[in-house]
Structure formats: structure tokens, C-alpha cells
Amino acid sequence: MSAPPTRSPLRIPSWAGDLVGALVVVVTTLVPGPGMGLGAPHPGGPRGPLIEGLPLIVLLGAILLIPLRRRFSILTLSAALGLFCAMIALHAPATGVGIVAVLAAYSVGSGTDRRTTLAVGGAATTLVVVLSVTVAEFGVIDPSIFQIAAGIAVASALGDSSRSHREFVAAATERAERAEQTREAEVHRRVAEERLRIAQDLHDTVAHQISVISLNAGVASSSLESAPERARASLGTIRTSARLVLTEIGTLLQYLRADSASPGAGDADPDASAAPQRGIGDLDELYTSFAAAGLRVSATTTGDLDRIAPTTGTVAYRIVQEGLTNALKHGAGGEADLSITAADTTLSISMTNPVSDRSPNQRDPHRGGLGLTGIRERVAAVGGSVEITSLGDSFTLAATLPRGTEPHDSYESGRP
């Protein structure tokens, strides 16, 4: 059941905030009060004749600055401070215009960096304080001017705090989105690698069984009249190999279709339905199947193979399977010598089979098809090395794999 959609917080339109600010400025300036009201005398006494209507024009100019503070914060603050000085020079109440300067100071802190905010806010606060002392007459200082100075300082700090909070939220959101994208990319990558591994397993299995079928079909065809018992045995081997390859293909296709067959499979862990893997313990069965196909395998094992990590065991099994398949298909003499050595930290595999001039694939190791390419990829995936050479009348496949320290490792670390 999907979670209910989250509601975004209510946001006040910018024009509504500007309108409220303008109303505060007008009310603060026009409502009569102690030391207030348009045309009220300055606390220090009149310093000159009041120009009729000019303070109102200054006030309207200050109100028009309010919508500009977001885009031109520093210029708006400078203009508001100039109008503030003009109102004081006109002996008119300057508190309303000072509020515009406070709003502009908040926009400076919210829209610029901290260094700029400290410089501009500090300069504006200092200017207002110096102005209040300069215009004081008879020792009387208008306290509202100090209020404006304190308001500019506080507004600058609040604006900087708001900007820092927005940057923090934006950075956290970006990290969360990046983590989600990385998680999805990792899931897709692992699914693709799992399918590639299954495709390589399918190639290894089909190539081996088809080689067995092809060889026994030739034996059955040539022995059908002269040696019917041998032909019957070859046909039985063909039937068994065909059944095995069909079973293997069906099993692998089942895992390939698992993601698309189940709802929400895109978020599933590909390891949860990983196909079963052959290992080092299945080599005897592999030797038997090749012997039935007509390949004499001389296998020698040295060391303890019981504690080989499953990852290494799976790669080793596929190397031996591909090497014997190549010996059966392309080798000469129908035989192969295999040596497996388990040391303290490595597992070495060496396989040699005779070749003839009619074996171009083994005469030139660089002509190897998907099988040898798959071997190189598997060995490289687990951090091992492989060497494929053809000298004289013999073809050699030698691989060195890390033994592994975790006896219960999953195949994940060995994916090509």
C-alpha cells in the first residue's frame, strides 16, 4: 500500500510579504504618536523649514524599494539608508523608512555570502549610529534611530541564518537524491552482471553438452551397422546430454525471467534468486561426462581443496569445463592432462592437450572465441591471472586464482 502524498508547507507569496511591509511602513509613519507623524518636529528641535509634501515623496520612494530588495539587495539597502538620511534632514519621522532599510538588510543576509553580509550590515549599522549622534541637538538623541540600527544588525544576522539553513537543506536533499540514484544504478548494475554471468554459464554448459552430442552422434553414425551396441551406447549418451542441457537451460532461463515475472522486481536484490553454482566438488562428475564423450582425462590434485572459497571453486570449475570442452572439440588424440594444485593462498590449474594442424583454434590462442574470453573475464574478476599458450604439438591453459579466505563467500565478488 503506497504512502499518502506529503503536503508541501504553505508558502506566502512574495507580493503578500511586500504588501505587509509597505503597510507597516505607512502605519508607522502616518499614525500620530510620540515623536511620530509626518511632519513631527525632530527631538532636537526644528533645524530648518519643512518642505511641504517632500517627506511624503521620500516615504513613497522608500515603499517602492521594498519589491526590489530581493533582486538588488545591496543597492536597495543603500537607497533606503539615503532616504533615511533625507527624512532626518527634513526633520520628519524616519522610523518607517528605517524599517525599509531593515527589510533590505535581511535580504542582503539572505541573498549574499556571510562575508558580504558582515561588511554591508556592519557598515549600515555604523552609519545609522553615527548619524544619530551627528544630528543630536542639545544632547537629545532620538531612541528610534538606535532601534533602527539594532534592527539592521539583527535582520542581517537572521538573513544569514536563513541562507545557511536553505543551503543545508539543499545539500541534504542533493545527498539524498544522489544516494537514491546511486542505489538504483547499483541495483541495475548488479542485475546486469548477474545476467551476464548466467549467460556465460549458459554458454559453458551448452558448449560442453553440444560437443558431447556431436561427438557421440558421429560415433553412432559410423557404428550403426558394424557395432550396434556401441551405437546404442552413444545414442544413450546423446539422450542424457540433451536432457542435461535442456534442464540447465530451463533453470538458467527461470532466473533470467525472475525479475520481469514478479511485480516490483526492479528493487529486488539479484542475489536473492541467484542461480545455483557448480564448484570444485563437482569436478569428478565433470570428468565422468567427458570420459563418456570419449575424452581421456588424466587429473592430478595436490593440496586440500575442501576449504577453497566458493567463488574460487566456481571459477575453477568453469575453467576446467571450458578447457576440457576445447580439448574435446579442437584437440587431437582424445586426451587431456589436468593438474590442480591448492597452495596456502592460491589455486593453480594447468591443462594440456595435444593439437594437430587441423586445430587452428588451439594453434593460435588469440583466436579463442567466447569460451576463452569468458575464462579471461572470470579469472580477472577474482584477481587471478591466466596464460594460454600453444607450443609445438601441445596446447596449454594455465590459471592462478586466489584461494580465498571466506569459505562461505558468495559468487558476487567473482562476477565478471
Side-chain angles (χ1 to χ4, degrees), residues 349-351 385-388 396-400:
I349 301 173
S350 178
M351 187 182 311
S385 60
V386 61
E387 183 178 0
I388 302 173
T396 302
L397 170 63
T400 302

Side-chain angles (χ1 to χ4, degrees), residues 294-297 327-328 330-336 353-356 358-359 393:
L295 181 67
R296 298 185 301 276
V297 181
L328 180 63
H330 307 295
E335 61 181 64
N353 64 270
V355 296
S356 65
R358 293 177 297 177
S359 307
D393 295 332

Side-chain angles (χ1 to χ4, degrees), residues 50-402:
L50 179 65
I51 302 177
E52 293 293 335
L54 189 57
L56 180 60
I57 296 175
V58 174
L59 178 64
L60 293 177
I63 293 175
L64 293 177
L65 291 176
I66 294 178
L68 303 178
R69 61 190 173 87
R70 295 182 182 86
R71 191 170 183 181
F72 309 102
S73 57
I74 297 179
L75 291 177
T76 301
L77 177 59
S78 301
L81 290 175
L83 296 178
F84 181 76
C85 295
M87 292 293 278
I88 293 179
L90 294 173
H91 296 174
T95 304
V97 180
I99 292 176
V100 176
V102 172
L103 295 177
Y106 177 86
S107 298
V108 171
S110 178
T112 63
D113 57 273
R114 179 162 298 175
R115 180 177 298 180
T116 302
T117 300
L118 291 176
V120 175
T125 303
T126 303
L127 174 64
V128 173
V129 172
V130 171
L131 183 64
S132 68
V133 176
T134 303
V135 301
E137 297 180 2
F138 306 107
V140 179
I141 299 178
D142 189 353
S144 63
I145 297 182
F146 280 104
Q147 294 174 2
I148 297 300
I152 291 175
V154 173
S156 299
L158 291 177
D160 181 74
S161 176
S162 175
R163 176 192 54 78
S164 299
H165 177 70
R166 287 199 314 271
E167 292 178 352
F168 173 79
V169 172
T173 303
E174 181 182 0
R175 286 195 300 268
E177 292 177 352
R178 190 184 304 116
E180 180 66 19
Q181 294 172 357
T182 302
R183 188 189 72 84
E184 293 179 356
E186 178 67 13
V187 169
H188 290 307
R189 182 188 66 82
R190 293 174 65 186
V191 169
E193 289 184 350
E194 178 68 14
R195 290 183 173 181
L196 176 61
R197 181 187 65 77
I198 292 176
Q200 289 183 335
D201 290 347
L202 183 62
H203 166 268
D204 295 342
T205 301
V206 170
H208 164 56
Q209 298 295 347
I210 293 299
S211 298
V212 172
I213 291 174
S214 177
L215 182 62
N216 281 274
V219 173
S221 177
S222 61
S223 305
L224 192 58
E225 296 181 358
S226 60
E229 292 297 329
R230 185 179 179 185
R232 187 178 297 109
S234 296
L235 291 174
T237 302
I238 291 174
R239 183 170 57 253
T240 301
S241 297
R243 186 183 302 113
L244 288 175
V245 73
L246 289 175
T247 301
E248 189 78 11
I249 290 174
T251 301
L252 293 176
L253 289 179
Q254 174 186 354
Y255 290 104
L256 283 174
R257 294 170 177 169
D259 289 341
S260 59
S262 57
D267 296 333
D269 187 352
D271 293 335
S273 59
Q277 296 298 310
R278 297 282 186 172
I280 203 79
D282 300 312
L283 289 178
D284 290 338
E285 180 182 348
L286 188 65
Y287 302 152
T288 301
S289 66
F290 275 99
L295 181 67
R296 298 185 301 276
V297 181
S298 176
T300 302
T301 302
T302 304
D304 182 14
L305 301 182
D306 293 336
R307 298 189 61 81
I308 297 295
T311 298
T312 302
T314 298
V315 176
Y317 179 89
R318 294 305 182 186
I319 291 174
V320 173
Q321 183 185 48
E322 182 60 29
L324 294 179
T325 300
N326 283 339
L328 180 63
K329 292 172 58 179
H330 307 295
E335 61 181 64
D337 294 327
L338 173 64
S339 174
I340 301 178
T341 302
D344 292 338
T345 58
T346 60
L347 178 68
S348 300
I349 301 173
S350 178
M351 187 182 311
T352 304
N353 64 270
V355 296
S356 65
D357 294 336
R358 293 177 297 177
S359 307
N361 287 350
Q362 290 198 325
R363 282 292 185 183
D364 184 6
H366 300 288
R367 295 185 55 181
L370 294 177
L372 294 182
T373 300
I375 286 179
R376 292 187 179 96
E377 291 177 350
R378 290 178 186 275
V379 172
V382 296
S385 60
V386 61
E387 183 178 0
I388 302 173
T389 58
S390 179
L391 298 175
D393 295 332
S394 66
F395 177 85
T396 302
L397 170 63
T400 302
L401 309 175

